[in-house]
């Protein structure tokens, strides 16, 4: 196995859960975990059907797993289920209607508490409004919303009537919306006039309008009034949310759909310029998200949970909407930025709502460290009992700070490894059972058969770097890439027969903990968000001045990775600071602000092999400021590297 996925980091600090925590936990010791894990991977059907029993099925399944058409899995075939009924009606029927489902905090400071009964009524009304506009089972609906309770209502209303939602993160651009509309052939959009972010209004409706100038398949646009900003309403197509639900019945029976009925499509970056529409279905996805939520956060009925993700990402789907709600959890939802009006906003919210389980991203933790401890120290965070992280490897310093400053040294940290594709958390400590070490996601969840393989498919020994795989199917696995089953097979199942390839490099340590080293493909992780270098490159070359570009990541102390774009201009175009700015903005318009390159390096030529392939490896070394490693004998033009090193230093320092 090549050196680039070898990690030499050694971490010896081990933190066992306290006896007091373990005594009350769902899983109480490592021995109990080991026994459960062994049993669950030896007989996954038994384990997963036991988990599925915790949901409400209108009709029970005939078979747990049908893997005869691998890698196209069918879970709980024959079963009938409604995701929205599981997240709402069931809890109201169980007498929990008056329990708060969402404590919502708007960025400007407005607040709402919404009970399960209210959320159910809102969902039913909106589901009826969707139906009244002709939206039916199987139709695709694009959701582009701020972090308001109506975002969850929109998702659950689609689920209720069997429409397939495709949520697009509010930070993505009009072009991204258009691409996703085209690929999913959506016929309706649910959006808002705007959303609050750092004191300003994100013009969501205007972005939708621009996307719809280039895509004609949308018949209805539902617009929630949130910011009261001026918007254009197109007659016959655009309708106000409040008008559509006015006087509408809050009775909308939850029909049972096949367990394999598509629940949603969520687009994510891969190694080509075209995002992949990851398709998740209903029964298995709910089984995976509901069971992981319960065990990994050690969820109990009196917890107050808060996940700071946006519903536009998989974390928001699985651990704001479906996982917590299927468990009937009370949660906090916050609309805005962590630093508005100041860096203490989160801790104020934790104190106000006595949050007990808190789930965030390493990039946020690093930003808090930078902002200073005084923002944290003003607040009483003693309600916290479990902390989680997700999205990227967490550096041990950030982990220790999180444990000490936020967790007061008493809260177990669950570092959760998973992906848009896996649907639910795959590798993570169980907080009452697993001794944790800063920087490792520790062990596979129950029922998950994770391993690290070398190029020949043999299992790697401890401290040997290899490719992270999952050897057995699991219920919340992606079912396909929407409209591209061939790419699905090739990307995830092409390397090892019948085994899921995650695309991450990893190793285990002597204690059997999994350490994730990072992506093996050309996918960047910027602030915990996935970004394909090919996507940024194709955005750059769509600009009239650009002949060619190569995009790589460089290490960044807050964002994890920063985006560096090497750009070769067309003949006769002058490299100027204005052009550099224009190119950054162009990427913002094509994809979204998160994809804007941090540095644009104008390069007369890019380093290529004699066969014309760009040698990204060299570019990565250049931007990391490290020695050029490995073989450069295939490089066509040796001078180009020195030139690029010099150029990069100029831009980087400048
Ligand atoms: O590289 C891994 C990294 O994020 C990738 C998945 O990105 P996405 O589909 O956007 O989902 C993010 C939220 C689940 C993975 O392939 N990643 C995610 N969690 C971790 C991680 N890397 C290390 N440690 C983690 N806990």
């Amino acid at each position: 196995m090549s050196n680039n996925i070898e990690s030499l980091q050694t971490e010896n600090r081990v933190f066992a859960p306290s006896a007091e925590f373990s005594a009350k936990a769902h899983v109480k010791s490592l021995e109990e975990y080991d026994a459960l894990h062994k049993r669950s991977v030896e007989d996954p059907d038994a384990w997963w059907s036991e988990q599925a029993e915790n949901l409400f099925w209108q009709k029970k399944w005939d078979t747990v797993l049908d893997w005869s058409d691998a890698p196209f899995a069918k879970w709980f075939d024959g079963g009938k289920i409604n995701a929205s009924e599981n997240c709402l009606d069931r809890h109201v029927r169980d007498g929990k209607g008056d329990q708060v489902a969402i404590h919502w905090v708007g960025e400007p400071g407005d607040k709402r508490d919404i009970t399960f009964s209210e959320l159910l009524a809102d969902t039913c009304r909106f589901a009826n409004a969707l139906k009244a506009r002709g939206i039916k089972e199987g139709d695709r609906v694009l959701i582009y919303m701020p972090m308001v309770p109506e975002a969850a209502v929109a998702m659950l209303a689609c689920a209720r009537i069997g429409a397939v939602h495709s949520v697009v993160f509010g930070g993505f651009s009009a072009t991204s919306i258009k691409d996703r509309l085209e690929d999913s052939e959506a016929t309706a959009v649910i959006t808002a006039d705007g959303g609050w972010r750092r004191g300003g209004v994100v013009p969501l409706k205007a972005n939708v309008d621009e996307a719809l100038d280039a895509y004609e398949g949308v018949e209805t646009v539902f617009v929630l009034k949130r910011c009261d900003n001026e918007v254009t309403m197109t007659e016959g197509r655009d309708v106000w949310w409040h008008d559509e639900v006015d006087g509408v019945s809050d009775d909308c029976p939850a029909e049972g759909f096949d367990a394999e009925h598509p629940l949603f499509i969520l687009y994510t970056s891969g190694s080509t310029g075209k995002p992949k529409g990851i398709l998740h279905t209903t029964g298995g996805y709910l089984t995976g998200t509901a069971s992981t939520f319960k065990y990994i956060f050690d969820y109990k009925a009196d917890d107050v949970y808060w996940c700071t993700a946006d519903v536009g990402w998989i974390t928001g789907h699985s651990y704001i909407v479906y996982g917590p709600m299927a468990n009937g959890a009370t949660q906090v939802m916050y609309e805005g930025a962590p630093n508005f009006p100041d860096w203490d906003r989160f801790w104020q919210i934790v104190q106000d709502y006595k949050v007990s389980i808190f789930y965030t991203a390493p990039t946020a933790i690093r930003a808090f460290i930078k902002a200073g401890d005084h923002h944290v120290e003003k607040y009483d965070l003693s309600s916290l009992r479990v902390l989680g992280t997700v999205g990227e490897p967490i550096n041990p310093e950030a982990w220790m700070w999180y444990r000490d400053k936020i967790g007061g040294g008493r809260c177990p940290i669950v570092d959760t490894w998973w992906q848009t594709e896996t649907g639910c958390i795959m590798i993570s400590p169980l907080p009452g059972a697993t001794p944790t070490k800063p920087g490792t996601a520790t062990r596979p969840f129950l029922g998950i058969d994770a391993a690290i393989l070398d190029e020949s498919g043999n299992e790697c020994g401890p401290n040997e770097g290899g490719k992270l795989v999952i050897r057995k199917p699991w219920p919340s696995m992606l079912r396909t890439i929407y409209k591209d089953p061939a790419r699905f097979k090739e990307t995830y199942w092409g390397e090892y027969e019948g085994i899921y390839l995650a695309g991450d490099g990893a190793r285990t340590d002597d204690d059997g903990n999994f350490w994730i080293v990072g992506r093996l493909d050309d996918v960047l992780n910027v602030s915990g968000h996935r970004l394909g270098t090919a996507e940024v490159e194709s955005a750059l070359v769509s600009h009239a001045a650009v002949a060619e570009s190569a995009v790589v990541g460089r290490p960044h102390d807050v964002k994890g990775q920063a985006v560096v774009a090497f750009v070769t201009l067309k003949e006769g175009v002058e490299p100027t600071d204005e052009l550099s700015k224009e190119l950054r903005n162009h990427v913002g318009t094509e994809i979204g602000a998160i994809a804007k390159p941090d540095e644009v390096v104008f390069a007369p030529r890019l380093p290529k092999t004699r066969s014309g392939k760009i040698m990204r490896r060299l570019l990565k070394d250049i931007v990391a400021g490290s020695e050029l490693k490995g073989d450069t004998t295939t490089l066509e033009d040796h001078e180009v590297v020195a030139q690029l090193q010099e150029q990069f230093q100029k831009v980087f320092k400048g």
Side-chain angles (χ1 to χ4, degrees):
M1 183 56 49
S2 59
N3 282 334
N4 59 354
I5 47 175
E6 202 74 61
S7 166
L8 298 174
Q9 189 180 36
T10 47
E11 174 60 66
N12 298 317
R13 289 169 288 194
V14 181
F15 299 90
S18 70
E20 193 195 347
F21 189 101
S22 296
K24 295 189 204 136
H26 292 305
V27 179
K28 298 177 170 50
S29 67
L30 192 59
E31 294 68 45
E32 189 184 346
Y33 160 83
D34 282 339
L36 274 171
H37 187 260
K38 183 163 183 289
R39 193 160 53 99
S40 67
V41 291
E42 279 169 8
D43 188 358
D45 283 16
W47 163 256
W48 290 120
S49 58
E50 210 180 288
Q51 298 313 305
E53 298 276 3
N54 292 328
L55 299 170
F56 177 79
W57 294 80
Q58 294 192 11
K59 177 179 172 288
K60 199 178 164 173
W61 56 89
D62 303 319
T63 41
V64 180
L65 167 66
D66 176 355
W67 192 229
S68 57
D69 188 24
F72 301 97
K74 276 198 200 130
W75 281 90
F76 307 113
D77 204 23
K80 297 265 185 203
I81 189 164
N82 186 296
S84 130
E85 180 177 34
N86 271 279
C87 292
L88 302 169
D89 313 54
R90 191 160 58 116
H91 311 310
V92 176
R93 289 199 293 258
D94 288 349
K96 287 168 59 175
D98 292 337
Q99 182 194 316
V100 172
I102 302 177
H103 291 292
W104 178 75
V105 182
E107 197 188 72
D110 42 344
K111 293 183 177 130
R112 279 160 68 191
D113 284 346
I114 300 158
T115 64
F116 275 101
S117 293
E118 289 164 344
L119 199 60
L120 171 61
D122 288 349
T123 300
C124 287
R125 264 191 294 266
F126 193 65
N128 280 330
L130 291 173
K131 277 196 206 165
R133 290 281 168 184
I135 295 151
K136 55 184 191 312
E137 180 179 343
D139 288 351
R140 273 81 59 215
V141 177
L142 186 139
I143 298 178
Y144 186 64
M145 295 277 279
M147 281 294 288
V148 291
E150 286 82 359
V153 169
M155 292 162 76
L156 292 166
C158 287
R160 194 162 191 93
I161 63 169
V164 183
H165 60 70
S166 167
V167 185
V168 177
F169 171 55
F172 278 137
S173 67
T175 312
S176 290
I177 301 172
K178 186 207 79 178
D179 292 347
R180 285 153 176 75
L181 284 168
E182 270 173 358
D183 191 74
S184 64
E185 297 170 273
T187 52
V189 174
I190 306 170
T191 188
D193 49 1
W196 291 105
R197 190 82 191 165
R198 275 189 203 98
V201 173
V202 182
L204 298 171
K205 175 63 166 65
N207 291 346
V208 168
D209 291 343
E210 199 186 323
L212 293 182
D213 284 344
Y215 173 79
E216 290 187 343
V218 167
E219 284 155 27
T220 314
V221 180
F222 297 85
V223 187
L224 179 81
K225 197 168 250 192
R226 164 65 187 138
C227 298
D228 257 334
N229 51 314
E230 195 124 336
V231 295
T232 314
M233 297 291 279
T234 298
E235 185 72 37
R237 185 194 73 189
D238 301 351
V239 295
W240 288 107
W241 178 303
H242 55 263
D243 290 339
E244 294 296 291
V245 296
D246 189 30
V248 168
S249 162
D250 62 6
D251 180 30
C252 177
E255 191 187 329
F257 298 104
D258 289 340
E260 283 298 338
H261 184 69
L263 182 61
F264 65 87
I265 302 166
L266 183 61
Y267 287 85
T268 190
S269 297
S271 50
T272 74
K274 190 174 174 284
K276 305 179 274 197
I278 303 300
L279 182 82
H280 282 288
T281 59
T282 311
Y285 174 77
L286 275 186
T287 302
T289 52
S291 57
T292 47
F293 178 77
K294 172 180 155 189
Y295 283 100
I296 291 169
F297 298 107
D298 193 47
Y299 168 72
K300 311 273 171 51
D302 56 354
D303 275 312
V304 178
Y305 166 82
W306 182 18
C307 166
T308 69
D310 189 284
V311 287
W313 307 107
I314 191 66
T315 308
H317 284 61
S318 300
Y319 297 106
I320 293 179
V321 180
Y322 293 106
M325 291 191 187
N327 278 276
T330 293
Q331 67 179 310
V332 169
M333 185 191 230
Y334 169 58
E335 177 185 32
N339 58 347
F340 189 86
D342 208 343
W343 280 106
D344 63 349
R345 190 73 192 261
F346 277 17
W347 319 124
Q348 171 88 59
I349 294 174
V350 168
Q351 175 180 285
D352 287 354
Y353 291 97
K354 298 197 168 34
V355 171
S356 57
I357 306 173
F358 180 72
Y359 191 31
T360 196
T363 184
I365 298 169
R366 291 191 296 266
F368 292 130
I369 296 174
K370 231 180 169 168
D373 294 358
H374 57 287
H375 293 296
V376 180
E377 285 159 359
K378 287 190 270 184
Y379 298 99
D380 174 7
L381 306 182
S382 60
S383 56
L384 290 169
R385 63 178 205 94
V386 179
L387 302 176
T389 72
V390 58
E392 55 183 310
I394 180 163
N395 46 309
E397 295 65 39
W399 195 98
M400 287 306 298
W401 184 89
Y402 196 32
R403 182 183 154 84
D404 291 341
K405 291 289 164 197
I406 305 304
R410 87 192 161 268
C411 306
I413 297 180
V414 291
D415 172 353
T416 62
W417 177 86
W418 59 295
Q419 309 176 293
T420 306
E421 291 88 340
T422 67
C424 74
I425 299 169
M426 305 294 278
I427 303 182
S428 167
L430 297 185
T434 317
T436 54
K437 282 186 197 176
T440 164
T442 73
R443 288 157 210 256
F445 183 64
L446 305 172
I448 302 300
D449 184 12
I452 297 168
L453 303 185
D454 68 15
E455 300 286 356
S456 336
N458 299 315
E459 200 164 348
C460 296
N463 301 309
E464 221 183 290
K467 298 181 183 185
L468 179 60
V469 299
I470 310 295
R471 290 185 291 205
K472 289 198 178 81
W474 66 102
S476 67
M477 63 200 281
L478 79 164
R479 296 302 191 265
T480 191
I481 294 175
Y482 192 62
K483 294 202 298 201
D484 203 348
R487 189 175 175 194
F488 166 68
K489 274 173 116 164
E490 183 196 312
T491 309
Y492 306 107
W493 308 91
E495 182 123 356
Y496 309 107
E497 182 74 31
I499 290 180
Y500 173 83
L501 180 78
D504 279 357
R507 67 172 175 99
T508 50
D509 63 18
D510 295 325
D511 299 329
N513 294 305
F514 283 70
W515 292 77
I516 312 298
V517 181
R519 299 288 307 186
L520 296 173
D521 51 14
D522 289 317
V523 170
L524 303 182
N525 194 324
V526 179
S527 300
H529 302 317
R530 241 163 101 164
L531 192 62
T533 54
E535 267 171 84
V536 185
E537 286 161 7
S538 86
L540 283 165
V541 296
S542 73
H543 189 282
V546 177
E548 192 172 41
S549 97
V551 168
V552 293
R554 78 168 161 80
H556 186 280
D557 60 354
V558 174
K559 298 199 281 189
Q561 282 189 298
V563 181
V564 184
F566 290 88
V567 171
T568 306
L569 296 172
K570 286 190 181 148
E571 268 310 303
V573 182
E574 280 299 306
T576 60
D577 287 350
E578 287 71 56
L579 181 58
S580 166
K581 205 162 148 203
E582 190 178 316
L583 293 180
R584 294 184 69 244
N585 289 336
H586 181 70
V587 174
T589 312
E590 288 293 300
I591 304 174
I594 54 160
K596 280 187 183 180
D598 294 76
E599 284 100 24
V600 173
V601 184
F602 291 115
R605 293 183 305 283
L606 295 171
K608 290 188 182 167
T609 60
R610 289 190 183 97
S611 59
K613 242 181 127 203
I614 295 174
M615 294 179 78
R616 296 169 172 286
R617 186 164 53 74
L618 292 182
L619 295 174
K620 283 184 203 165
D621 288 344
I622 291 172
V623 302
S626 49
E627 292 264 316
L628 299 191
K629 291 188 286 278
D631 183 16
T632 54
T633 53
T634 54
L635 187 61
E636 188 199 37
D637 171 0
H638 277 265
E639 239 168 68
V640 73
V641 172
Q643 271 177 12
L644 289 177
Q645 273 172 320
E646 198 181 308
Q647 274 305 99
F648 174 70
Q649 281 310 321
K650 253 198 245 161
V651 174
F652 183 53
K653 299 233 164 84

